[in-house]
Amino acid sequence: MHFDTLIHNAVILTCNPGFEILRGGWVGVSGGKIQALGTGPESGRTPARECIDARGGIVMPGLVNTHTHLPMTLFRGLADDLPLKTWLENHIFPAERAVIAPASVHWGTLLACAEMALSGTTTCCDGYFFEDSVAEAVDAFGLRAVLGQGVIDHPAPGVPDPDRNLTAARDFCERWRNRTETLRPSVFCHSPYTCSRATLVGAKQLCEELGLLFQVHAAETRWESEHIRSTQGRSPIAHLDRIGVLDERTLLAHCVWVDADDIAVIAGRRASVSHNPESNMKLGSGVAPVARMLSAGIAVGIGTDGCASNNDLDLFPAMDTTAKLHKVANLDPTVLPAETVIRMATIDGARALGLDDAIGSLEPGKQADLIVVDTRKPHLTPIHHPASAVVYTAKGSDVRTVMVAGRILVRDRRVVTVDLEEVLQQVTVIGRALKNHESKHDKGLRGAAEVDPFERKP
Ligand SMILES: [Zn+2]
């Protein structure tokens, strides 16, 4: 046997069922998969085409970001410190109408991929418009992803006629199904308040027919919870359950406003949840009862959400925030310990996306999606507990090497699959166009959203 790549001199966080940590460890990769891993001299006897010395650093599964809107990197910092409804109606939707097109989506997505890879994320679960352009960019970069064509009952970028939103989603899914090893198509319904019952049910049926993940924002804000209660007579989760769209292939983003009954429904249907703590905090949406959802056995992953509401795609601070937010919310420092949070960002996130057979832990036979964290840093010295170091002290910028399916995407902190300089330049130009649009908007268009996205079509 020989390895394509051997990574050695590492502390390996396997994230396997026993959460084994291998000190003085090595991982052998061939054919895009993990062939073997262990400690001691075995690695020295197996020839490898390339050896990577982790220099005592931490090797762990690549992180899984369960909720993104990749092209929204273009709107990073465009409008902050506003309520969700104002933020969406007066800033995000007009900005989308102004600049979102296949080319801007392409560059915004490449930027997002670079940011994710450079901070240790190897898989993301996305939902946006012009998702073909997202898919092409993610494929060019080399990350793994579940990519959802956005569905909403009002005119949207690329889908001006809402009556065609499900057709557009079907076309996207059929184009990308079985096209690459690393990308899976999906359908992303915006929410129960912007999608009618018929749209939600139609999108779920499409996913069932093609065997794909169905995604929807759900129970994000108090406004949504009250709105759905007043229009549907039940909570957002109970509404989604009643129309039959909750099962093990449903990913619910947010679930902030859920009660004990909602949690029992989500667990009973085996649906999964993306917890997006920084977005929920920044938009003042509330604190999702994550500890209770985990106790109920729900697969809960961690997401950053789009860059307009976070404002980055770095899962390291998202892990730190997750661990601390639930301790303060419960007034209990024992909830969500570091190990639990790492599981959420790796194997549980993979389970939430239905990818846990392939990724999320370092075990022989699994895809070689892994990262090397450089620990030769003041803030990472000494390391008494590797899991603690990862959650409470490491930063995305400590990630040195990133591999997806055995292919190196980041080497010594440099992106190797695309020309990052060109991506930065292109996004800067788009950013300027957006700034001009915003200043015009500020002079008189503010508040004049052309369509009220919160008004569902009958
Ligand atoms: Zn979102």
Side-chain angles (χ1 to χ4, degrees), residues 8-292:
H8 63 102
N9 189 15
V11 174
I12 299 175
L13 277 183
T14 60
C15 298
N16 68 10
F19 206 78
E20 268 178 279
I21 295 174
L22 310 176
R23 292 170 197 274
W26 53 268
V27 186
V29 172
S30 283
K33 289 186 176 176
I34 297 168
Q35 297 298 328
L37 71 172
T39 57
E42 180 62 29
S43 64
R45 292 201 285 270
T46 308
R49 213 168 54 208
E50 180 180 15
C51 284
I52 296 174
D53 184 350
R55 300 187 295 190
I58 294 170
V59 171
M60 63 183 290
L63 304 177
V64 178
N65 189 338
T66 50
H67 187 62
T68 63
H69 308 291
L70 299 178
M72 293 186 86
T73 49
L74 301 172
F75 307 140
R76 191 196 315 266
L78 182 72
D80 299 317
D81 313 324
L82 295 166
L84 182 123
K85 197 166 180 290
T86 316
W87 173 78
L88 266 180
E89 283 182 3
N90 294 3
H91 298 273
I92 299 305
F93 289 139
E96 285 179 338
R97 284 193 289 270
V99 300
I100 288 301
S104 57
V105 164
H106 173 81
W107 292 113
T109 302
L110 280 182
L111 185 80
C113 289
E115 185 185 354
M116 288 191 293
L118 285 166
S119 55
T121 292
T122 53
T123 296
C124 70
C125 183
D126 191 64
Y128 206 61
F129 304 107
F130 291 118
E131 199 70 11
D132 278 289
S133 298
V134 172
E136 276 154 23
V138 174
D139 192 37
F141 195 95
L143 284 174
R144 191 183 300 279
V146 177
L147 302 173
Q149 167 66 29
V151 167
I152 192 164
D153 284 341
H154 69 83
V159 192
D161 175 5
D163 287 341
R164 291 193 45 79
N165 55 15
L166 291 179
T167 312
R170 175 181 285 279
D171 290 348
F172 168 77
C173 292
E174 285 180 347
R175 267 194 298 277
W176 286 92
R177 204 159 57 117
N178 306 322
R179 182 149 150 195
T180 78
E181 291 283 312
T182 44
L183 300 186
R184 286 200 188 175
S186 159
V187 180
F188 189 105
C189 278
H190 179 267
S191 66
Y193 58 91
T194 51
C195 293
S196 69
R197 176 194 180 117
T199 300
L200 292 162
V201 170
K204 180 63 186 174
Q205 280 170 351
L206 170 60
C207 289
E208 268 173 24
E209 182 193 330
L210 301 178
L212 307 174
L213 185 73
F214 169 77
Q215 309 177 55
V216 61
H217 291 126
E220 179 176 6
T221 61
R222 181 160 57 189
W223 177 88
E224 175 192 340
S225 178
E226 288 170 355
H227 178 75
I228 298 294
R229 278 174 200 279
S230 75
T231 55
Q232 306 294 335
R234 50 188 63 80
S235 74
I237 299 301
H239 168 57
L240 293 172
D241 187 44
R242 189 179 167 92
I243 64 175
V245 302
L246 299 186
D247 63 25
E248 69 282 358
R249 275 194 173 139
T250 298
L251 176 66
L252 302 164
H254 299 305
C255 292
V256 173
W257 293 85
V258 291
D259 60 17
D261 291 341
D262 293 326
I263 291 173
V265 167
I266 297 168
R269 298 293 184 201
R270 301 172 57 82
S272 52
V273 171
S274 177
H275 175 45
N276 314 303
E278 292 184 297
S279 174
N280 297 156
M281 290 166 73
K282 184 160 181 278
L283 290 166
S285 301
V287 182
V290 169
R292 286 193 281 142

